[in-house]
Amino acid sequence: MLFKKKNTDIDLSSLDMKKVVSDAKLSHIAFIMDGNGRWATNKGLPREAGHKVGVEAFRTIAKKCKEYGIKTITIYAFSTENWSRPKNEVNEIMRLLDKYISEAEKEDAENRSRYYVLGDKERLGPELKAKCEYLEEFTRDNPYVVNIALNYGGRDEIVRAVNKLIAEGKTEVTEEDISSHIFTAHCPDPDLIVRSGGECRISNFLMWQSAYSELYFCDTLWPDMGDYELREAIVEFSKRKRRFGGVINK
Ligand code: FPP
């Protein structure tokens, strides 16, 4: 099923979300944070204002995911295609990312998250690249995982993995080879991919990893996403019957 069902029959605020998450075996959620630009335009603001509020929405969502016991979250912060946006907008997104990365180090004790930056860091420039690498190293002993997809493309990731394997001398590759050479080799595939903003597509995000992910699309624009919308997505996930190509023996 592609679209969410409205959970109007349930009082979401009274649910024990830790139990819902644990019963549903939800360990990894990925987010396509769409709708920042429209959110800002609707308010007569420049698009960049939407990205700024979008970072705060991410902070809220990340905190709640941890509170509910979700071990890994992945966000699509900037795609390999996003470089074609107006220069001002690209610069502002990079500034926000740079700021977030600096703050993540300071907030380490509270975050308890191990960061991974997925994507080709070369194009980020030497300063931001070094900051990303420092954050990855600095947070390496933390129990939760936050993957930031930055200058990331799903097809590009698969091509890179195959080229790495060729460079290692492989002439034939297995699924395990590819899974262990993509940017997310350190974590399980996402159980759930949430896309805000009303569009129903994957946009080159986690192409390999999403083979058996449940997809959830909602109309809410990313800056308006909060605990209630997260609960809606998780509850919908908890109702899905995952078969992974097999049958359910119940
Ligand atoms: C999609 O909305 C959003 C992006 C391409 C950029 C998102 C990046 C940030 C919020 C900064 C990331 C930093 C962290 C750490 C969270 P859109 O601009 O395509 O919206 P639209 O579809 O309404 O135009």
Side-chain angles (χ1 to χ4, degrees):
M1 188 182 61
L2 214 55
F3 294 95
K4 69 170 183 173
K5 275 190 206 144
K6 276 272 166 218
N7 291 303
T8 44
D9 51 329
I10 302 171
D11 175 10
L12 294 175
S13 61
S14 68
L15 286 176
D16 176 349
M17 291 307 293
K18 266 191 162 173
K19 184 168 178 345
V20 175
V21 163
S22 157
D23 290 350
K25 299 186 174 56
L26 174 54
S27 71
H28 182 177
I29 307 192
F31 296 95
I32 301 178
M33 310 182 292
D34 197 17
N36 292 344
R38 276 166 287 159
W39 182 91
T41 307
N42 291 346
K43 291 189 156 28
L45 299 167
R47 291 176 56 81
E48 291 77 7
H51 297 312
K52 192 169 175 199
V53 180
V55 177
E56 296 317 309
F58 168 66
R59 284 182 189 281
T60 304
I61 297 271
K63 191 168 164 215
K64 287 292 166 187
C65 284
K66 260 177 273 174
E67 203 176 298
Y68 301 156
I70 297 163
K71 168 104 198 300
T72 303
I73 58 177
T74 301
I75 50 164
Y76 206 3
F78 196 84
S79 75
T80 45
E81 289 75 31
N82 287 152
W83 294 104
S84 64
R85 292 188 176 216
K87 205 166 184 300
N88 278 356
E89 187 173 342
V90 170
N91 288 346
E92 176 60 7
I93 294 175
M94 289 301 151
R95 190 190 69 79
L96 289 169
L97 279 160
D98 191 299
K99 183 165 178 276
Y100 180 84
I101 286 167
S102 306
E103 286 167 359
E105 192 194 317
K106 288 184 215 135
E107 294 161 6
D108 183 55
E110 191 193 330
N111 278 344
R112 291 181 298 142
S113 297
R114 178 169 188 176
Y115 286 86
Y116 290 86
V117 176
L118 319 179
D120 176 15
K121 297 190 191 85
E122 289 306 322
R123 195 164 171 191
L124 305 177
E127 260 180 56
L128 184 52
K129 177 176 180 265
K131 272 193 177 180
C132 292
E133 286 168 352
Y134 181 74
L135 184 67
E136 287 174 329
E137 182 56 31
F138 184 80
T139 59
R140 60 177 302 152
D141 295 325
N142 286 335
Y144 294 96
V145 170
V146 174
N147 297 312
I148 303 180
L150 178 49
N151 189 28
Y152 171 91
R155 288 185 174 182
D156 174 68
E157 175 181 42
I158 297 167
V159 170
R160 278 169 193 277
V162 172
N163 281 327
K164 272 188 235 163
L165 287 158
I166 292 171
E168 286 170 20
K170 291 257 182 189
T171 52
E172 210 180 309
V173 298
T174 62
E175 289 193 13
E176 289 70 30
D177 286 331
I178 297 196
S179 293
S180 61
H181 285 72
I182 51 178
F183 293 120
T184 55
H186 56 275
C187 65
D189 290 341
D191 301 299
L192 170 63
I193 298 181
V194 172
R195 179 172 187 146
S196 61
E199 307 288 358
C200 298
R201 55 176 172 262
I202 286 292
S203 301
N204 204 14
F205 186 47
L206 305 178
M207 302 288 289
W208 180 266
Q209 300 88 332
S210 61
Y212 285 103
S213 303
E214 294 295 325
L215 306 179
Y216 178 88
F217 301 100
C218 62
D219 289 330
T220 309
L221 303 174
W222 179 260
D224 289 328
M225 290 288 284
D227 184 32
Y228 186 84
E229 290 71 20
L230 177 66
R231 285 173 179 242
E232 279 194 310
I234 294 173
V235 168
E236 169 56 29
F237 173 82
S238 72
K239 294 177 181 171
R240 303 270 177 100
K241 305 259 178 292
R242 304 187 80 194
R243 288 186 286 275
F244 300 97
V247 289
I248 295 180
N249 299 314
K250 276 194 210 166

